[in-house]
Amino acid sequence: MSHADAGRRKLLIAAGAGVVAVPAIAALARWGPGQEPTTPDGRLMLSADDGSDVGELEVALDDRRLRPVDASGRVVQDDGGAGAPSGRRVAGAETWSTGPLETTSFAMLGLTWRGSDPVLRVRTRSGGAWAPWRSTPALADGPDAGVEGDSSLRATDVTWVGRCDGVEVAVDGPRPEDLRLVLLDPAGRPTDASVVPDEPPTTAAGGSSGASAVSATVSSTVSARADDGADDPGVVPAASTATLWPKLYSRKTWGADESWRSGTPTRNATLQQVHVHHTVNANDYSRAETPALLRGMYRYHTKSLGWSDIGYNFLVDRFGRIWVGRAGGPGRNVRGAHTLGFNDTSTGVSVIGNFETARPSKAVIFAVTRVAAWKLEMHGRKPAGTATVRSTGSDRYSAGATVKLPVIDGHRDTNDTACPGSLLYAQLPLIRKRTRRRIARFKDGTLGA
């Protein structure tokens, strides 16, 4: 988007020691080459649009930004000279790098492109020190083809990197078309450190929250779109059986801006599976940072990727708190954008963190178990069993393929991905066992709060 593409107002953004007036627009700015806003000292500058407290910037990594790396590992400049030391050179492949980019503060980053998936690496600077290079594989989460978003747009996960002020991107091998770097800085809010979950909703005692009650509710509304109440709970349990409904932190609690969503949530006809994911974020975020992290992820999914909402139905933080993701009512079968090819018969639970490098805590295992038991019992599913489902098309199973999968599975079971990380994936047998036990205790009346 050029400077003249949309009506704008001036927004005052703190930049270093001064205040700089920069244009703000209603969607993520797609600046042309060399048009990205900068501070007086030349740093790339993030800004927030009208009504948002998520600072953001999208940088086109074209020939101007992405330069070849010579045999000594230095970025080759236009004049034939070499810049600062860059990433390692990969044998047999050309390497390209942006070189170190100075920025105002950011905490999350992602990359988007079109065409074939490239081999990408990034490193970030915090407190004057550069972190090691990290690989950034292509995102395997996403909506089913033709449902929402632009299927030709490829991307990485958005990654929480903590407070940073510098970034470098490297490409090993062919450069993709329209490669763009997305930087996000979701601001913390005073309420983020004191959030509390909603109590499970109740109706008059004597009703049922089990499979029969839900099947009747779903069958009467399956052809409709889920109503647009972001935190309307949907199917409500009876007071005497409310313990299976976990305590949830609502969209309102984490600060979802409902104007970012597009369209109306879609409801699935049934629920056969719970897909477990991880978000590949850093594992050292604090309790108070979780709501901001969710706001940044929501912004990336809706504004950078063009999805209708945040992709996951539920998210679990490293402290074991359960957060409502996609709008439409947590008690309903709302279709997510988390497991390409298998969104129409499932719910997606993503644990915030990288579980290739960290072991999930007992609190995380318990939280995933609580969500799985609640959702599966409503539909009479067996947590340790299998489900026969039909793929709508993924990078592992073609459209129309019939697949037998675990009722509780990991994302790698349906797509070509390492998600949910080997250390979380190894805990799925325990999660299935505990989910089965929780449902059994619920049914025989021995389940506590």
Side-chain angles (χ1 to χ4, degrees):
M1 180 180 291
S2 69
H3 284 11
D5 281 339
R8 301 183 176 111
R9 66 174 180 82
K10 294 290 183 181
L11 178 69
L12 292 180
I13 296 293
V19 177
V20 180
V22 299
I25 60 176
L28 184 59
R30 294 181 66 85
W31 303 101
Q35 295 180 333
E36 301 92 354
T38 58
T39 62
D41 60 357
R43 290 175 294 153
L44 292 168
M45 185 166 60
L46 283 72
S47 62
D49 76 5
D50 236 347
S52 169
D53 57 3
V54 179
E56 57 194 341
L57 179 65
E58 187 173 289
V59 182
L61 302 185
D62 55 5
D63 289 342
R64 178 179 167 274
R65 290 283 184 198
L66 206 58
R67 306 299 302 161
V69 176
D70 67 18
S72 67
R74 290 178 177 270
V75 180
V76 177
Q77 305 300 322
D78 287 330
D79 61 2
S86 181
R88 60 179 175 80
R89 186 174 179 86
V90 176
E94 290 184 310
T95 298
W96 308 80
S97 176
T98 61
L101 301 177
E102 303 278 338
T103 72
T104 56
S105 182
F106 67 94
M108 304 179 79
L109 64 83
L111 292 150
T112 68
W113 64 91
R114 297 183 186 277
S116 300
D117 292 344
V119 179
L120 298 169
R121 293 176 289 121
V122 299
R123 64 173 183 153
T124 52
R125 187 182 63 193
S126 179
W130 286 94
W133 287 94
R134 69 178 76 188
S135 62
T136 56
L139 180 68
D141 304 333
D144 295 334
V147 175
E148 59 187 86
D150 179 355
S151 59
S152 70
L153 182 66
R154 302 288 292 158
T156 66
D157 280 298
V158 62
T159 303
W160 177 270
V161 293
R163 192 62 52 200
C164 296
D165 62 2
V167 62
E168 183 173 4
V169 179
V171 182
D172 297 326
R175 294 184 300 170
E177 178 186 353
D178 196 23
L179 179 63
R180 291 176 178 267
L181 169 66
V182 179
L183 301 176
L184 298 167
D185 188 29
R189 299 177 183 176
T191 56
D192 288 349
S194 57
V195 294
V196 294
D198 292 344
E199 291 296 324
T202 60
T203 61
S208 170
S209 66
S212 60
V214 174
S215 63
T217 304
V218 172
S219 64
S220 67
T221 56
V222 68
S223 62
R225 304 275 281 184
D227 71 52
D228 210 27
D231 284 319
D232 179 9
V235 179
V236 179
S240 60
T241 58
T243 51
L244 204 57
W245 186 299
K247 291 183 178 180
L248 303 172
Y249 291 80
S250 70
R251 289 173 62 89
K252 182 178 180 180
T253 297
W254 61 260
D257 184 337
E258 301 303 341
S259 70
W260 296 356
R261 293 193 287 122
S262 60
T264 305
T266 298
R267 186 177 303 151
N268 291 331
T270 189
L271 186 147
Q272 293 180 269
Q273 288 186 280
V274 173
H275 299 298
V276 179
H277 303 255
H278 70 162
T279 62
V280 205
N281 283 305
N283 298 305
D284 58 354
Y285 59 90
S286 69
R287 294 177 70 92
E289 286 174 326
T290 303
L293 191 157
L294 293 173
R295 293 191 292 270
M297 187 182 304
Y298 177 38
R299 186 76 181 181
Y300 184 71
H301 286 182
T302 55
K303 301 303 181 182
S304 299
L305 305 187
W307 299 355
S308 68
D309 197 348
I310 193 169
Y312 306 113
N313 298 101
F314 302 94
L315 297 103
V316 172
D317 66 24
R318 68 188 185 97
F319 310 101
R321 297 179 296 180
I322 305 168
W323 303 81
V324 176
R326 186 157 281 216
R332 295 189 172 97
N333 294 335
V334 175
R335 184 172 303 175
H338 48 82
T339 309
L340 179 65
F342 298 90
N343 290 308
D344 62 343
T345 55
S346 67
T347 195
V349 183
S350 192
V351 184
I352 303 171
N354 184 343
F355 297 98
E356 286 292 335
T357 60
R359 294 183 181 279
S361 66
K362 291 181 179 179
V364 164
I365 299 301
F366 184 51
V368 175
T369 296
R370 288 178 74 96
V371 175
W374 167 47
K375 300 299 285 187
L376 294 174
E377 191 278 335
M378 284 197 291
H379 295 272
R381 306 302 180 191
K382 296 180 178 180
T386 59
T388 300
V389 293
R390 185 179 297 274
S391 171
T392 61
S394 77
D395 54 6
R396 186 167 179 179
Y397 296 105
S398 61
T402 299
V403 188
K404 180 178 285 188
L405 296 167
V407 168
I408 301 175
D409 72 358
H411 191 191
R412 64 176 63 181
D413 293 319
T414 58
N415 294 87
D416 185 13
T417 175
C419 182
S422 58
L423 298 175
L424 178 54
Y425 189 79
Q427 296 300 314
L428 293 186
L430 177 61
I431 290 172
R432 295 181 189 114
K433 178 181 177 180
R434 290 188 174 181
T435 301
R436 181 176 59 184
R437 183 171 62 190
R438 185 170 177 82
I439 291 174
R441 291 179 61 200
F442 166 75
K443 289 182 175 179
D444 66 20
T446 61
L447 181 65

